[in-house]
Amino acid sequence: MIRNTAVTVCGPLNVNKLGVTYVHEHLMVKPQLPDEYYIPYTLDDEAASTEETRSFSAAGGETLVEMTPINYGRNVKAYQRIAQATGVHVICCTGFHKQLFMPPWFGDKTDGELYDILMNEVTNGLDDTEIHPGVIKLGTSFEEVTAAEKRSIEAVARVHRDTGIPISTHCDKGTMGMDQLRLLEKHGVDPKNVLLCHIDSKMDTDYAIRLCLEGATICLDHVGRELQDRDSYRVRMVTALVEAGCVDHVTLAGDMGKKNYLPAYGGKPGFTYILTDLKAELLPYIGEENFHKMMVENPKRIFAWKYND
């Protein structure tokens, strides 16, 4: 992979063209569990997801990173059609979620077979297509890293080392970020190449700062869940991160993989929220330059592949 290149569902792209980026979203997703609890977490209307993506573009958004991994209802052909219809760049992923959502065959595979599955997706394409992932995912459980999750982390680390594909992680309710970094470091991954997601949902600003000081980048992506007070806690968290000198390690997204988060599915606040309402709340405290770093410069660095053959 050529340096300074990201991989989108429509092919390689110079990272300078990514522009305003949400680093953790969902466009089409269907958790693979027979439980009615997950019905609201199913986004299966391509027309509605396309409409929501158009609203993101109209608000100034340019790139969405679709973080639906193996066995979570990924639909890469739909992502490509949405990108083509809207002009929004879409980056999709390979990798595994936390143990609850791992494929039923995961435990039957050897470490080498798990590596081969991920490498095949990176090099040959996803789900019998020529669409390639631009990021690789790993996940851990709430306040726990299971044995299976440790195997997933090792496989992801190996693929990252061999290809340079960026790593983005699921920190359940914001937990286990430091443990993920330690395990990835054990397998040869530099924290500066890791994006830790959902960190704001732990509601611990000191913890968020510590992760940044380790060299990792964090994503605050549960914004829009507390509209009654205009996300005042997260505004304070972002402000504190900027004041602590961590702005180069912070990104924003909505992780809006649920019907009642998206106006096109009848919910709110939708893909426009960060670039309109939340931005208006943040700018008096952090200024336009720092907002630009979080939305443009930091994602550009993260999604540039680090390997140069």
Side-chain angles (χ1 to χ4, degrees):
M1 180 57 57
I2 300 170
R3 194 173 298 279
N4 293 326
T5 300
V7 175
T8 78
V9 296
C10 294
L13 184 74
N14 187 292
V15 292
N16 291 316
K17 296 182 178 180
L18 291 177
V20 174
T21 301
Y22 289 3
V23 301
H24 192 115
E25 295 296 344
H26 297 279
L27 292 171
M28 302 287 286
V29 57
K30 183 178 175 63
Q32 303 295 288
L33 288 177
D35 187 332
E36 291 186 359
Y37 175 83
Y38 296 104
I39 292 175
Y41 292 88
T42 298
L43 303 180
D44 53 5
D45 184 335
E46 188 173 331
S49 293
T50 302
E51 178 185 342
E52 195 66 38
T53 304
R54 283 200 179 97
S55 73
F56 170 71
S57 178
E62 296 168 84
T63 299
L64 291 172
V65 182
E66 219 293 350
M67 287 304 300
T68 303
I70 295 169
N71 199 55
Y72 204 63
R74 188 174 60 186
N75 188 338
V76 298
K77 290 183 178 179
Y79 306 154
Q80 187 180 69
R81 289 191 295 267
I82 291 169
Q84 291 167 339
T86 63
V88 170
H89 306 302
V90 176
I91 294 171
C92 68
C93 78
T94 184
F96 301 109
H97 212 309
K98 65 180 180 179
Q99 182 161 343
L100 176 65
F101 298 117
M102 283 181 176
W105 44 258
F106 185 95
D108 297 327
K109 302 295 184 183
T110 66
D111 291 347
E113 287 170 332
L114 293 174
Y115 169 84
D116 289 343
I117 288 167
L118 297 178
M119 276 295 288
N120 180 62
E121 294 212 324
V122 173
T123 58
N124 296 320
L126 303 166
D127 305 332
D128 300 316
T129 74
E130 294 183 356
I131 298 169
H132 291 256
V135 61
I136 191 167
K137 181 171 184 171
L138 64 90
T140 53
S141 300
F142 178 61
E143 294 189 342
E144 179 184 14
V145 183
T146 69
E149 290 162 356
K150 289 178 181 178
R151 295 183 65 213
S152 170
I153 289 171
E154 180 176 2
V156 165
R158 287 183 62 196
V159 173
H160 165 79
R161 293 199 319 267
D162 291 347
T163 66
I165 189 170
I167 295 173
S168 180
T169 86
H170 168 90
C171 297
D172 208 60
K173 296 181 176 60
T175 66
M176 310 312 291
M178 201 67 74
D179 300 77
Q180 289 182 5
L181 290 180
R182 292 288 88 83
L183 287 164
L184 286 165
E185 284 184 298
K186 175 183 174 183
H187 297 297
V189 177
D190 191 320
K192 71 181 182 183
N193 295 328
V194 181
L195 174 63
L196 303 168
C197 294
H198 321 319
I199 297 305
D200 53 322
S201 57
K202 195 172 188 294
M203 308 290 275
D204 185 340
T205 299
D206 290 339
Y207 165 70
I209 291 171
R210 289 197 302 274
L211 293 173
C212 293
L213 295 178
E214 288 287 324
T217 300
I218 63 173
C219 183
L220 312 184
D221 52 34
H222 278 51
V223 300
R225 309 294 202 269
E226 298 169 9
L227 297 176
Q228 69 279 3
D229 67 356
R230 301 189 301 279
D231 262 319
S232 63
Y233 177 80
R234 285 170 176 83
V235 169
R236 294 195 301 273
M237 177 179 273
V238 172
T239 302
L241 284 159
V242 170
E243 291 175 347
C246 298
V247 68
D248 292 336
H249 297 268
V250 180
T251 61
L252 296 176
D255 189 19
M256 294 187 183
K258 193 176 182 182
K259 287 182 170 71
N260 66 1
Y261 296 151
L262 299 172
Y265 283 87
K268 60 181 182 180
F271 283 168
T272 65
Y273 172 75
I274 292 172
L275 299 177
T276 55
D277 295 26
L278 184 66
K279 181 178 180 180
E281 295 295 325
L282 282 171
L283 287 191
Y285 300 99
I286 68 169
E288 185 75 46
E289 181 180 351
N290 287 321
F291 187 78
H292 180 84
K293 283 184 179 179
M294 293 188 292
M295 304 307 303
V296 177
E297 296 302 323
N298 296 345
K300 182 170 72 173
R301 184 189 72 251
I302 292 161
F303 292 100
W305 287 42
K306 307 304 187 293
Y307 181 75
N308 191 23
D309 191 359

